[in-house]
């Protein structure tokens, strides 16, 4: 049993629409609708400034629920909107970016899916291709604390928030990389199943090494956006046996772009842990 103080979210209670799309009746706790409401009603963004299709796509695919109090406890100050949005983004593994169409968009971290673009050696500027592995952030145990509450199990108001918790263990980290390291993440999820899904996904993403690719190319790729999938096609790519005349392909998700007048630097994450477990994502 949970107590609610103050106003509830009437927008999600009565159903909500993104632009001309009408997703139907929603509940009080749908994270995407809450993000939309914060950006539009409280931070002053108009529908013309929001990529409504990205919100609609995640509104349909995300089924988890979040819940929070403002402020979180009697001793807390009111949070900044930035901090509140960041907490929701972290709970749902959401990327928030600004597109080339001059609109704010959201994407959820997940398996790469179909390619958006492909690039070969003749479009990569000379001596600009780099592919390096990072093992520093590997963890074996992902702990997720969820359902923050000011009321403890004895129905007493405590001085600190209490959480329920779930755990997911990476055998890849333990057996392949010989890493035994825990990391705790906080979530706004209400239900154990949603928090467990987050813990499992964090285990996949952080239980293996991270492979980063970066290169410089010309203006055909100026419309590249965060979370696009790019297939890099070359004869020489680390992780593949070299064979003269045979091209290899490595896919990656765009994590950053840096543009100048006539060239763009693109950085990709090969998402190895996620891709190796895409069927369980």
């Amino acid at each position: 049993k949970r107590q609610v103080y103050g106003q509830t979210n009437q927008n999600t209670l009565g159903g909500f629409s993104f632009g001309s799309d009408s997703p139907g009746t929603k509940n009080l706790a749908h994270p995407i609708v809450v993000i939309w409401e914060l950006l539009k009603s409280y931070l002053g963004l108009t529908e013309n400034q929001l990529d409504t299709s990205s919100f609609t796509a995640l509104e349909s695919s995300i089924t988890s629920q979040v819940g929070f109090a403002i402020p979180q406890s009697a001793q807390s100050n009111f949070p900044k909107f930035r901090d509140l949005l960041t907490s929701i983004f972290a709970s749902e593994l959401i990327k928030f970016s600004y597109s080339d169409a001059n609109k704010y968009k959201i994407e959820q971290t997940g398996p790469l899916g179909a390619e958006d673009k492909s690039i070969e050696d003749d479009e990569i500027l000379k001596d600009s291709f780099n592919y390096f592995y990072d093992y520093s952030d590997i963890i074996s145990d992902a702990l997720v604390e969820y359902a923050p509450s000011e009321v403890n199990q004895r129905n007493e108001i405590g001085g600190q928030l209490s959480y329920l918790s779930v755990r997911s263990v990476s055998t890849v980290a333990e057996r392949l990389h010989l890493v035994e390291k825990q990391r705790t993440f906080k979530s706004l999820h209400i239900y154990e199943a949603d928090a467990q899904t987050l813990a499992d996904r964090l285990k996949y993403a952080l239980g293996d090494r991270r492979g980063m690719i970066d290169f410089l190319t010309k203006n055909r790729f100026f419309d590249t956006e965060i979370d696009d999938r790019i297939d890099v096609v070359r004869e020489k790519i680390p992780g593949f046996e070299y064979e003269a005349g045979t091209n290899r392909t490595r896919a990656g998700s765009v994590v950053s772009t840096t543009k100048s007048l006539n060239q763009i630097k693109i950085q990709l994450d090969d998402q190895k842990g996620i891709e190796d477990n895409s069927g369980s994502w």
Side-chain angles (χ1 to χ4, degrees), residues 54-277:
S54 71
F55 284 83
T56 300
L58 290 190
E59 180 271 332
S60 300
S61 62
I62 289 178
T63 59
S64 56
Q65 300 182 53
V66 295
F68 50 88
I70 301 178
Q72 284 193 308
S73 69
Q75 287 79 22
S76 299
N77 293 321
F78 280 82
K80 295 181 173 65
F81 284 114
R82 175 193 62 197
D83 297 334
L84 183 54
L85 285 167
T86 299
S87 295
I88 302 174
F89 294 157
S91 299
E92 299 297 336
L93 299 180
I94 288 174
K95 303 172 185 176
F96 183 65
S97 60
Y98 196 60
S99 73
D100 273 1
N102 297 322
K103 293 187 177 184
Y104 292 96
K105 60 180 283 192
I106 55 175
E107 300 283 346
Q108 188 177 39
T109 298
L112 289 168
E115 69 177 79
D116 296 290
K117 297 183 179 69
S118 180
I119 188 168
E120 298 188 20
D121 248 346
D122 59 357
E123 288 192 288
I124 297 175
L125 299 187
K126 184 179 179 180
D127 298 328
S128 73
F129 180 84
N130 296 289
Y131 192 174
F132 54 93
Y133 302 129
D134 184 2
Y135 291 82
S136 62
D137 290 333
I138 293 178
I139 62 172
S140 60
D141 293 41
L143 305 177
V144 171
E145 295 182 337
Y146 70 101
S149 174
E150 192 175 8
V151 179
N152 61 28
Q153 294 181 346
R154 298 188 299 273
N155 291 321
E156 299 170 345
I157 295 180
Q160 295 182 337
L161 290 174
S162 61
Y163 295 85
L164 302 175
S165 65
V166 292
R167 176 177 180 240
S168 195
V169 180
S170 170
T171 55
V172 172
E174 290 183 336
R175 299 174 186 176
L176 178 62
H177 300 298
L178 302 180
V179 170
E180 293 187 11
K181 182 168 64 175
Q182 294 183 345
R183 185 174 170 188
T184 300
F185 304 84
K186 283 189 167 52
S187 162
L188 295 179
H189 287 126
I190 301 171
Y191 298 117
E192 179 180 355
D194 296 333
Q196 187 64 61
T197 296
L198 174 61
D200 291 341
R201 291 179 174 180
L202 290 168
K203 170 191 68 177
Y204 299 143
L206 300 176
D208 207 338
R209 63 100 179 125
R210 191 180 189 195
M212 303 300 294
I213 303 170
D214 62 53
F215 54 84
L216 289 170
T217 187
K218 292 293 187 177
N219 56 9
R220 182 172 83 84
F221 287 82
F222 270 23
D223 62 346
T224 298
E225 297 182 355
I226 301 300
D227 213 45
D228 280 354
R229 168 182 168 154
I230 295 181
D231 285 353
V232 179
V233 183
R234 307 179 80 233
E235 282 190 6
K236 295 182 179 180
I237 294 182
F240 291 100
E241 183 178 352
Y242 172 69
E243 183 179 346
T246 300
N247 282 332
R248 311 294 188 180
T249 300
R250 179 70 77 188
S253 174
V254 176
V255 293
S256 72
T257 62
T258 306
K259 301 175 185 178
S260 63
L261 289 176
N262 56 10
Q263 65 186 32
I264 178 173
K265 181 176 182 179
I266 298 175
Q267 186 174 58
L268 309 173
D269 184 344
D270 70 8
Q271 299 192 166
K272 183 177 187 302
I274 296 174
E275 295 308 306
D276 287 350
N277 296 277

